[in-house]
């Protein structure tokens, strides 16, 4: 098990579109384990492989308070969206920034689990939001790209100032 480095926006590698996982082998299983460890350490609820500079379609999440409901999505695809809702989102790749994003209220996702078993999940509420947020990462999109250009520019400026200050 190893902690992975989480890419920070505006790192261009966050915009690379992830490729499908060809085979769920020990490398992918280790990646899943390391992603969970990294996500838990960072106090997140979801993490896409893109965020740790692995450009394959792998997502982990755990929305439980006890951190005992891990979910793995390999090669996930949203097959249905319904309704509309807004939610204040944050992101491990955009630390300290939160803003309201409009997304589908309910989604159906098809994916493989860590053992290669296909499953279908109907989700609503925070789980639906998290699925859409993480699958955006796999498509090379960060949540702030759902915001107005003005808000995006303000966030970029704030993050650049913060990065200079941290040096």
């Amino acid at each position: 098990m190893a902690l992975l480095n989480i890419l920070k926006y505006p790192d261009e590698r966050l915009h690379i579109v992830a490729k499908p996982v060809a085979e769920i082998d020990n490398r992918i299983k280790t990646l899943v384990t390391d992603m969970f460890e990294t996500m838990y350490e960072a106090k997140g609820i979801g993490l896409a492989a893109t965020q740790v500079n692995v450009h394959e379609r792998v997502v982990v999440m755990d929305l439980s308070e006890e951190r005992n409901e891990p979910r793995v999505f390999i090669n996930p695809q949203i097959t249905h969206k319904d309704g509309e809702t807004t939610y204040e989102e944050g992101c491990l790749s955009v630390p300290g920034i939160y803003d309201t994003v409009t997304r589908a209220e309910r989604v159906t996702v098809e994916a493989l689990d860590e053992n290669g078993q296909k499953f279908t999940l109907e989700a609503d509420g925070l789980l639906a939001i998290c699925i859409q947020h993480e699958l955006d990462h796999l498509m090379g999109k960060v949540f702030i790209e759902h915001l107005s250009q003005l808000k995006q520019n303000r966030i970029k400026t704030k993050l650049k100032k913060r990065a200079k200050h941290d040096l």
Side-chain angles (χ1 to χ4, degrees), residues 84-145:
E84 188 175 281
T85 189
T86 57
Y87 195 85
E88 186 175 74
E89 295 185 26
C91 180
L92 295 175
S93 290
V94 193
I97 303 293
Y98 301 88
D99 213 317
T100 303
V101 177
T102 300
R103 297 199 184 264
E105 187 174 14
R106 289 172 295 283
V107 298
T108 302
V109 63
E110 291 180 357
L112 301 175
D113 67 16
E114 65 273 22
N115 298 311
Q117 297 299 308
K118 187 174 181 178
F119 68 93
T120 301
L121 175 68
E122 293 182 12
D124 60 9
L126 181 58
L127 181 56
I129 299 292
C130 193
I131 289 169
Q132 292 170 84
H133 177 110
E134 299 307 333
L135 269 60
D136 270 0
H137 278 300
L138 298 180
M139 297 307 297
K141 190 171 186 177
V142 180
F143 89 96
I144 65 170
E145 293 167 31

Side-chain angles (χ1 to χ4, degrees), residues 20-113:
V21 172
E23 179 185 4
I24 300 173
D25 54 14
N26 286 338
R27 181 183 64 83
I28 294 297
K29 290 180 179 187
T30 299
L31 174 65
V32 166
T33 300
D34 292 347
M35 286 175 63
F36 272 117
E37 184 178 352
T38 302
M39 179 189 74
Y40 290 141
E41 178 70 22
K43 311 264 188 287
I45 60 171
L47 187 66
T50 301
Q51 293 176 270
V52 294
N53 202 28
V54 176
H55 303 286
E56 294 180 83
R57 297 185 60 79
V58 178
V59 167
V60 299
M61 62 182 73
D62 187 340
L63 279 55
S64 68
E65 291 288 327
E66 300 80 21
R67 306 309 232 172
N68 62 358
E69 295 176 23
R71 297 176 186 263
V72 176
F73 300 82
I74 297 173
N75 295 337
Q77 296 282 21
I78 293 176
T79 58
H80 182 75
K81 293 181 178 184
D82 186 39
E84 188 175 281
T85 189
T86 57
Y87 195 85
E88 186 175 74
E89 295 185 26
C91 180
L92 295 175
S93 290
V94 193
I97 303 293
Y98 301 88
D99 213 317
T100 303
V101 177
T102 300
R103 297 199 184 264
E105 187 174 14
R106 289 172 295 283
V107 298
T108 302
V109 63
E110 291 180 357
L112 301 175
D113 67 16

Side-chain angles (χ1 to χ4, degrees), residues 130-164:
C130 193
I131 289 169
Q132 292 170 84
H133 177 110
E134 299 307 333
L135 269 60
D136 270 0
H137 278 300
L138 298 180
M139 297 307 297
K141 190 171 186 177
V142 180
F143 89 96
I144 65 170
E145 293 167 31
H146 286 278
L147 308 176
S148 71
Q149 195 63 50
L150 177 64
K151 282 188 175 183
Q152 288 182 49
N153 290 337
R154 284 183 180 161
I155 290 167
K156 282 181 189 174
T157 300
K158 183 185 251 184
L159 292 173
K160 284 178 184 172
K161 282 182 184 175
R162 189 186 297 160
K164 282 182 187 174

